[in-house]
């Protein structure tokens, strides 16, 4: 129950409207520090929209998304920051961020929320290693004195680049792609591209890793490997993981906490076992559990 | 059906098609005589010659390449085979040739070749200006993937700002050169601001419009720019404060050697060569810096860039500023070298030429830019004076008039053969495993 006792991210009455369509309606949930949280729901429930709001690709119509770095998210502190009108706190522990007020790249570089995409978004023409170096843009940019020192070939930048390569190599070892480091990322097989995208997200040194359907298109063996990989990443770095997934075997196997949404509204929230037996979830996934309709259909369809 | 029979059939069809096409265009020629009557001149000989050329050409091509023109597919690199030692020394050989070029030109023109001015100015300096421009656009279009159809605006800003600063305030070329680059970079930032919210084709339209605005301002702001008359008598660059002209007090008179236009020409050649090499080196460096990698990553996937914390606004602005800086430097050199500028030199055709250089060379490839600039600029000039074509098409054929046609044909064929440009392979900016030393044996005998 870490999502109640020690939350890292709190989504509070989040709403997103596209014209007349309400994609998310007053959705609230929390993500526990160090948890693997799954966000599930039928197709079109608004899961990816939630992701896009958290990572800043959409500006939510209303609601609040608060994230704490290095400590527990306190309600009082969030309220104080909200009233101050600022985007984030400076120099306090825990550091607080209001993601709905921040730009997408700032959410990635300052609040340290990394994400992957439903349809893989690598840099296909660049090599595997370069993909991981690009992810360390913020550190390297500072080391190159915003290009001036780097242009003059200062040793400081060269040392920073070497460190970046070492970090990239470490992640390549985790995802088993060292041998292909110098190949174009677009040449990798599908499963390897998925793993590379996760490694690239981890190279940004995130506190929260958001994975949009990481097991999509993987076979059973690859899905099992993915679960292993995610568990390993969490054990090694302590990163909290929020994932959208349709593969229920992966979700039930890996998640500490499952949030179920349907039509942009939360219908269940709890451990995997609690959610599995929730009648509303079963109805959402298996169809309408309406007595009358069931009876009527049984009467007409049954031979 | 055998290959020769198939080729024969194709040749026959090609010949007939050519005949059909040529019948109204070539075979029947109408001329107005002195009493203004149209006289029909049949030209059957020429028509059949053209048809025969087409048929024989198609026959030979189908024999050599029965499958027709396939699109070039990237071959899997077989890294095991080491490149020929010649390629290892190619960059050094090229550099030595570039450095020795004015003297080679001197030798060629002395032994009865084309004039020295033509050799050094047209084939040397002009190509190098386009290399500089191509390298500038290569950052915006080749690396950052922003289709800028108005690159000539930066060239114009550089040329006019340096010309105005030298003629109005009497500033030295050496002070004005970086200033022109900075002013053009400032323009790059200005242009990038409306572009930030746009994608792909829309960027092309906005940059095109911006270049037109710049040109129209140059044409219509007569008190400052002189309108169509342009700005003339722009002072030439000096070497350590000494001029290279014929007047007293110049470097030649101080050294006590007779004046020759060759000195100034060679000086300008080395100056633009140094600028082009500096731009090449800077681009090489920038590619391995986080900005350069961010440019390339943005070309590949902008959304992924943002998810990794890269500020794409700053990245786009920096790409435009860096590219425009090179364009401005090229403009400053251009105005100082020719001593005269007018809006005529900064029309859309120039932008198209620079885009063609970058695309033909292969997006992002710097060697490609150099080769394409040489071929495009040198090629059009060379076509102007190909006497061989006169022998084929008759004595009243003027190659200068057809050069754009031939040139377009060559470009179409090149794009069919190599759709990704001359240099389609991308050199990674960093490697985990060091590349096997070029030219060294890849596998030792013991293995």
């Amino acid at each position: 129950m870490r999502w109640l006792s020690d939350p890292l991210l709190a989504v509070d009455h989040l709403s997103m409207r596209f014209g007349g369509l309400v994609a998310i309606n007053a959705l609230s949930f929390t993500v526990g520090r160090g948890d693997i949280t799954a966000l599930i729901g039928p197709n079109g429930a608004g899961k990816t929209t939630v992701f896009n709001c958290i990572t800043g690709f959409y500006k939510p119509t209303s609601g609040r998304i608060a994230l704490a770095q290095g400590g527990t998210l306190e309600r009082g502190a969030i309220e104080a920051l909200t009233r101050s009108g600022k985007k984030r706190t400076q120099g306090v522990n825990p550091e607080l961020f209001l993601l709905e007020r921040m730009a997408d790249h700032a959410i990635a570089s300052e609040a340290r929320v990394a994400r992957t995409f439903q349809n893989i978004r690598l840099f296909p023409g660049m090599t595997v290693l370069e993909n991981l170096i690009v992810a360390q843009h913020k550190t390297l940019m500072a080391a190159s004195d915003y290009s001036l020192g780097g242009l003059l070939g200062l040793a400081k930048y060269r040392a920073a680049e070497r460190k970046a390569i070492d970090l990239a190599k470490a992640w390549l070892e985790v995802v088993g792609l060292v041998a292909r480091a110098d190949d174009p990322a677009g040449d990798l097989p599908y499963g390897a591209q998925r793993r590379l995208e996760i490694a690239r997200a981890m190279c940004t040194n995130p506190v929260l890793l958001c994975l949009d359907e990481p097991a999509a298109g993987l076979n059973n063996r690859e899905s099992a490997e993915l679960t292993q990989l995610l568990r390993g990443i969490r054990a090694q770095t302590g990163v909290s993981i929020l994932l959208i997934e349709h593969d229920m075997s992966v979700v039930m196997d890996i998640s500490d906490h499952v949030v179920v949404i349907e039509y942009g509204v939360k219908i269940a929230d709890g451990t995997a076992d609690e959610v599995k037996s929730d009648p509303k979830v079963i109805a959402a996934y298996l169809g309408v559990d309406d007595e009358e309709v069931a009876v009527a259909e049984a009467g007409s369809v049954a031979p | 059906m055998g290959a020769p029979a198939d080729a024969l059939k194709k040749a026959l069809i090609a010949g007939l098609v050519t005949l059909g096409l040529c019948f109204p265009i070539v075979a029947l020629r109408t001329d107005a005589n002195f009493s203004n009557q149209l006289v029909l001149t049949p030209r059957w000989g020429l028509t059949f010659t053209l048809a025969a050329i087409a048929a024989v050409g198609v026959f030979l091509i189908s024999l050599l390449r029965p499958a027709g023109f396939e699109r070039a597919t990237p071959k899997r690199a077989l890294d095991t085979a080491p490149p020929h030692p010649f390629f290892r020394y190619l960059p050094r050989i090229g550099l030595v040739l570039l450095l020795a070029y004015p003297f080679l030109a001197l030798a060629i023109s002395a032994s009865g070749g084309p004039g020295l001015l033509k050799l050094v100015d047209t084939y040397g300096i002009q190509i190098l200006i386009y290399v500089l421009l191509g390298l500038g656009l290569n950052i915006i279009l080749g690396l950052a993937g922003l289709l800028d159809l108005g690159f000539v605006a930066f060239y114009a800003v550089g040329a006019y700002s340096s010309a105005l600063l030298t003629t109005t305030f009497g500033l030295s070329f050496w002070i004005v050169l970086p200033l022109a680059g900075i002013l053009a970079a400032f323009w790059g930032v200005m242009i990038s601001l409306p572009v930030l919210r746009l994608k792909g084709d829309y960027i092309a339209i906005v940059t095109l419009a911006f270049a037109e605005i710049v040109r129209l301002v140059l044409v219509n702001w007569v008190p400052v720019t002189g309108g169509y008359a342009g700005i003339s008598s722009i002072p030439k660059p000096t070497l350590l404060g000494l001029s290279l002209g014929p007047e007293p007090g110049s470097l030649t008179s101080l050294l006590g050697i007779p004046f020759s236009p060759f000195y100034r020409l060679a000086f300008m050649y080395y100056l633009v060569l140094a600028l082009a090499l500096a731009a090449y080196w800077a681009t090489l460096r920038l590619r391995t810096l986080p900005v350069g990698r961010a440019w390339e990553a943005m070309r590949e996937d902008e959304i992924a860039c943002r998810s990794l914390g890269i500020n794409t606004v700053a990245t786009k602005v920096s790409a435009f500023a860096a590219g425009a800086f090179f364009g401005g430097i090229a403009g400053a050199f251009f105005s100082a070298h020719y001593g005269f500028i007018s809006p005529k030199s900064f029309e859309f055709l120039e932008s198209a030429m620079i885009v063609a250089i970058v695309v033909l060379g292969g997006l992002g490839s710097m060697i490609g830019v150099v080769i394409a600039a040489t071929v495009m600029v040198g090629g059009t000039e060379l076509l102007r004076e190909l006497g061989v074509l006169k022998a084929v098409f008759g004595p009243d054929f003027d190659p200068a008039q057809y050069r754009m046609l031939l040139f377009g044909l060559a470009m179409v064929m090149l794009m069919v053969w190599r759709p990704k440009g001359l240099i389609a392979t991308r050199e990674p900016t960093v490697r985990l495993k060091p590349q096997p030393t070029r030219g060294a044996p890849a596998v030792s005998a013991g293995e």
Side-chain angles (χ1 to χ4, degrees):
Chain A
M1 296 302 206
R2 262 183 300 201
W3 65 92
L4 297 177
S5 60
D6 182 15
L8 164 94
L9 176 86
V11 174
D12 204 357
H13 287 85
L14 181 73
S15 292
M16 183 77 213
R17 277 186 207 95
F18 297 104
L21 177 81
V22 182
I24 311 170
N25 194 2
L27 177 70
S28 303
F29 67 94
T30 54
V31 171
R33 181 177 311 282
D35 269 355
I36 295 181
T37 308
L39 186 62
I40 64 170
N43 281 328
K47 304 179 296 286
T48 299
T49 309
V50 174
F51 259 43
N52 283 339
C53 288
I54 292 174
T55 52
F57 283 85
Y58 291 160
K59 276 270 158 282
T61 316
S62 62
R64 182 170 61 194
I65 308 166
L67 178 114
Q69 261 176 32
T72 304
L73 201 54
E74 301 284 356
R75 265 225 106 67
I78 302 175
E79 293 298 340
L81 179 59
T82 310
R83 272 193 302 275
S84 76
K86 290 191 187 117
K87 293 175 183 170
R88 56 170 294 184
T89 57
Q90 293 280 2
V92 291
N93 196 38
E95 198 86 75
L96 286 191
F97 298 87
L98 290 179
L99 303 187
E100 81 279 4
R101 293 180 181 178
M102 296 170 71
D104 44 19
H105 63 86
I107 289 177
S109 63
E110 289 172 36
R112 287 158 60 200
V113 177
R115 74 169 290 180
T116 66
F117 295 87
Q118 200 170 343
N119 32 7
I120 306 171
R121 283 185 177 275
L122 290 170
F123 306 122
M126 302 174 87
T127 67
V128 169
L129 180 64
E130 282 175 315
N131 266 272
L132 301 188
I133 302 282
V134 169
Q136 302 173 50
H137 183 79
K138 190 191 172 198
T139 343
L140 287 174
M141 201 67 180
S144 77
D145 301 320
Y146 299 89
S147 308
L148 290 174
L151 205 56
L152 299 172
L154 295 188
K156 185 173 101 180
Y157 174 66
R158 284 204 301 275
E161 194 181 39
R162 226 169 295 125
K163 252 171 91 182
I165 293 172
D166 286 343
L167 179 65
K169 200 176 160 196
W171 278 110
L172 284 177
E173 271 159 14
V174 172
V175 297
L177 286 172
V178 181
R180 309 220 44 186
D182 295 329
D183 292 344
D187 286 4
L188 294 183
Y190 189 80
Q193 292 197 9
R194 283 243 173 254
R195 295 204 302 278
L196 177 60
E197 207 189 11
I198 294 172
R200 187 180 68 179
M202 286 311 295
C203 273
T204 63
N205 187 24
V207 292
L208 176 65
L209 176 64
C210 301
L211 305 172
D212 198 345
E213 297 201 27
L218 302 186
N219 62 31
N220 284 345
R221 192 177 56 84
E222 286 173 325
S223 293
E225 280 170 9
L226 178 83
T227 352
Q228 283 297 318
L229 175 68
L230 293 183
R231 283 218 179 89
I233 287 175
R234 177 175 61 165
Q236 210 175 8
T237 63
V239 69
S240 315
I241 298 175
L242 175 64
L243 60 97
I244 293 176
E245 191 46 72
H246 276 299
D247 186 335
M248 281 307 137
S249 64
V250 171
V251 171
M252 294 306 160
D253 182 20
I254 201 174
S255 315
D256 305 302
H257 174 200
V258 179
V259 177
V260 191
I261 60 175
E262 190 189 17
Y263 299 118
V265 179
K266 184 165 85 173
I267 56 171
D269 186 344
T271 63
D273 288 329
E274 285 166 12
V275 164
K276 221 187 316 190
S277 50
D278 191 308
K280 274 197 276 184
V281 177
I282 296 168
Y285 269 89
L286 298 180
V288 185
D289 194 20
D290 189 335
E291 295 290 339
E292 286 173 33
V293 174
V295 168
E297 273 180 356
S300 62
V301 174
Chain B
M1 196 157 37
D6 200 30
L8 207 62
K9 193 178 136 200
K10 279 187 187 164
L12 209 64
I13 293 172
L16 284 174
V17 168
T18 317
L19 211 60
L21 280 175
C22 286
F23 174 70
I25 306 171
V26 180
L28 304 175
R29 176 177 172 145
T30 49
D31 288 313
N33 66 6
F34 288 112
S35 48
N36 220 7
Q37 288 167 316
L38 283 181
V39 180
L40 192 68
T41 337
R43 296 194 295 179
W44 293 108
L46 184 63
T47 315
F48 282 110
T49 317
L50 287 175
I53 290 173
V56 171
V58 168
F59 180 71
L60 289 177
I61 288 171
S62 347
L63 270 190
L64 291 173
R65 304 182 58 135
F69 296 112
E70 313 113 74
R71 289 173 69 87
T73 44
K75 285 184 206 127
R76 292 282 337 131
L78 297 167
D79 284 338
T80 44
H84 192 273
F86 173 71
F87 289 106
R88 206 171 130 201
Y89 295 107
L90 198 60
R92 269 172 255 178
I93 295 170
L95 195 61
V96 168
L97 277 179
L98 278 174
L99 286 173
Y101 180 70
F103 298 97
L104 290 177
L106 202 59
I108 294 169
S109 70
S111 60
L116 184 67
L117 185 73
K118 172 111 198 156
L119 277 176
V120 179
D121 199 346
T122 311
Y123 290 116
I125 295 174
Q126 208 184 329
I127 290 177
L128 284 169
I129 291 178
Y130 277 97
V131 168
L132 203 50
L133 289 169
L135 287 173
L137 185 62
N138 186 46
I139 290 181
I140 301 175
L141 173 58
L143 295 180
L146 304 162
L147 180 51
D148 180 359
L149 285 185
F151 192 72
V152 80
F154 308 135
Y155 189 33
V157 167
Y160 269 84
S161 55
S162 81
L164 287 170
L165 286 172
T166 45
T167 53
T168 339
F169 299 107
L171 292 177
S172 146
F173 170 78
W174 297 104
I175 298 169
V176 164
L177 185 69
L179 273 182
I182 290 165
L183 285 171
F186 180 68
W187 257 95
V189 172
M190 298 250 295
I191 286 187
S192 69
L193 293 178
V195 160
L196 291 173
R197 299 193 156 272
L198 305 172
K199 281 192 169 61
D201 313 350
Y202 301 102
I203 295 180
I205 296 168
V206 169
T207 50
L208 187 66
F210 250 100
E212 272 308 288
I213 291 171
V214 168
R215 196 183 64 84
L216 287 172
V217 167
L218 296 181
V219 169
N220 292 305
W221 199 9
V222 180
V224 175
T225 64
Y228 278 117
I231 301 172
S232 53
S233 53
I234 301 159
K236 303 268 181 206
T238 53
L239 180 60
L240 303 171
L242 295 168
S243 118
L244 288 150
E247 67 273 6
S250 69
L251 188 66
T252 43
S253 64
L254 277 182
L255 293 174
I257 40 177
F259 166 76
S260 152
F262 172 72
Y263 299 133
R264 174 180 280 160
L265 218 49
F267 170 60
M268 293 310 279
Y269 173 84
Y270 286 122
L271 177 57
V272 71
L273 180 64
L275 291 174
L277 286 174
Y280 194 95
W281 175 85
T283 315
L284 214 58
R285 253 284 158 66
L286 282 170
R287 269 195 77 206
T288 66
L289 288 177
V291 237
R293 293 208 184 100
W295 289 338
E296 287 199 77
M298 194 171 67
R299 176 193 66 201
E300 301 277 317
D301 196 321
E302 192 177 329
I303 288 177
C305 268
R306 275 152 53 191
S307 83
L308 296 173
I310 295 173
N311 185 346
T312 48
V313 170
T315 309
K316 278 182 193 172
V317 171
S318 66
F320 266 102
F325 183 81
F326 291 157
I329 295 275
F333 177 84
F334 173 83
S335 71
H337 174 58
Y338 291 103
F340 166 73
I341 48 171
S342 80
K344 271 264 172 229
S345 311
F346 307 105
E347 288 182 342
F348 171 67
L349 198 64
E350 291 295 308
S351 287
M353 184 83 166
I354 307 164
V355 169
I357 285 174
V358 176
V359 173
L360 275 180
L363 288 178
S365 164
M366 285 181 286
I367 286 285
V369 165
V370 174
I371 297 172
T374 314
V375 171
M376 297 263 310
V377 182
T380 39
E381 286 302 321
L382 211 59
L383 278 174
R384 213 191 267 275
E385 44 204 87
L386 273 189
V388 190
L389 296 171
K390 274 201 167 124
V392 180
F393 294 103
D396 47 337
F397 178 82
D398 181 10
Q401 285 185 9
Y402 289 86
R403 68 194 172 105
M404 280 310 186
L405 193 71
L406 292 171
F407 192 68
L409 192 70
M411 262 170 76
V412 169
M413 281 167 73
L414 191 70
M415 282 334 289
V416 170
W417 268 315
R418 299 196 70 94
K420 283 188 162 179
L422 287 167
I423 312 282
T425 51
R426 176 183 172 275
E427 189 62 29
T429 59
V430 61
R431 282 178 184 277
L432 194 60
K433 281 154 285 187
Q435 185 83 321
T437 327
R438 285 188 171 188
V443 183
S444 67
E447 280 181 307

